[in-house]
Amino acid sequence: AFNADGSRLATAGMNGIAHVWAVASGENVARLERDGSVRHIGAINCITFSPDGSHLITGGQGGNVIVWTFDDEQSGYVLEQTGAVSAVAFTSNNGGQWLATASHDHTVRIWPWDGERADYPVMLHHRGAVRSLTFSADGLSLASASDDKATAVWSWKDDKWRKVATLRHKAAVNGVSCSSDEVGQWLATASDDHSVQVWDVTSGRSLALLPHQDAVNVVAIRPYADELWLATASADRQTWLWQINPGQPL
């Protein structure tokens, strides 16, 4: 993961240790392994910087999220989860700044973030492990993909996160990506049912179904001019690049 200005890169792996690197020089500026009893047991699955780059958030297979500081003095504290953590992401909207964490315990937890700490999360529920999540560019919507064969779309309305749509596949959903336009109008979802679907978030309508030879693990979507570009990675050991015009049938 890169920080906002691209000057720092964070990496993490199976050994439960995170590193922060200076991109220009390649210097390892921080090694984040433990702070007293604060550490990951097992692999780190996901990683992100806070919006101002002062903190690094890591989510582990052992079922916890750690918020690290690393500039002058390294320290960390734990945000408890009850299952492996699969995704972490930040956003901001008119309700403030938020840290979202997705877990195999069937929940998405959205933590209010004050620039230093995250406390008292809002709990959003699925019926299966949550594999992936993404915020819209304006921070007002969140999509979460789950083993329950669905992607849930949540919106910030009346000072609450509310479910506004359920987008279904025929098998577990492994990945979700939101278009980077201002309102995040389109979503792409990747599934064990050997397909990627592209959705119009406003209507909940599936615009395209993109077949693969095996389970699809990762998807990324970006708008360009009047078209959508998608990259997909599948268990068939292939990566595909797709070009779609959302105004025309596929």
Side-chain angles (χ1 to χ4, degrees), residues 6-41:
S7 64
R8 295 288 186 267
L9 172 68
T11 60
M14 299 293 290
N15 61 2
I17 301 171
H19 295 268
V20 180
W21 308 85
V23 172
S25 67
E27 178 189 0
N28 186 193
V29 298
R31 173 188 169 100
L32 304 173
E33 183 173 3
R34 66 186 304 156
D35 177 22
S37 62
V38 175
R39 66 188 180 101
H40 284 290
I41 304 297

Side-chain angles (χ1 to χ4, degrees), residues 86-97:
S86 52
V88 291
F90 272 101
T91 195
S92 59
N93 59 30
N94 55 19
Q97 291 187 329

Side-chain angles (χ1 to χ4, degrees), residues 5 10 12 18 56 87 96 118 122-123 131 154 173 183 186 194 222 236 240:
D5 65 10
L56 188 71
V122 176
M123 304 276 283
R131 298 289 180 180
W154 316 83
V173 187
V183 295
W186 298 287
H194 301 192
R222 290 293 183 270
D236 63 9
W240 287 85

Side-chain angles (χ1 to χ4, degrees), residues 48-52 54-58 64-69 76-81 88-91 96-101 109-123 135:
T48 191
F49 283 96
S50 63
D52 65 1
S54 64
H55 295 75
L56 188 71
I57 291 78
T58 54
N64 59 5
V65 175
I66 300 179
V67 179
W68 303 93
T69 57
Y77 66 90
V78 173
L79 304 177
E80 295 290 348
Q81 304 256 181
V88 291
F90 272 101
T91 195
Q97 291 187 329
W98 307 90
L99 168 64
T101 60
R109 305 185 189 206
I110 304 183
W111 310 76
W113 174 257
D114 66 5
E116 294 288 338
R117 297 197 65 85
D119 292 301
Y120 306 110
V122 176
M123 304 276 283
F135 282 104

Side-chain angles (χ1 to χ4, degrees), residues 91-94 96 98 135-142 156 161 182:
T91 195
S92 59
N93 59 30
N94 55 19
W98 307 90
F135 282 104
S136 61
D138 62 8
L140 295 175
S141 296
L142 168 71
W156 175 255
W161 289 98
E182 183 177 351

Side-chain angles (χ1 to χ4, degrees), residues 187-224:
L187 278 178
T189 54
S191 174
D192 276 353
D193 66 9
H194 301 192
S195 77
V196 166
Q197 291 197 64
V198 181
W199 307 85
D200 183 318
V201 176
T202 303
S203 67
R205 183 169 62 94
S206 178
L207 301 175
L209 189 148
L210 310 177
H212 292 68
Q213 296 300 313
D214 208 333
V216 190
N217 300 316
V218 181
V219 61
I221 183 172
R222 290 293 183 270
Y224 180 75

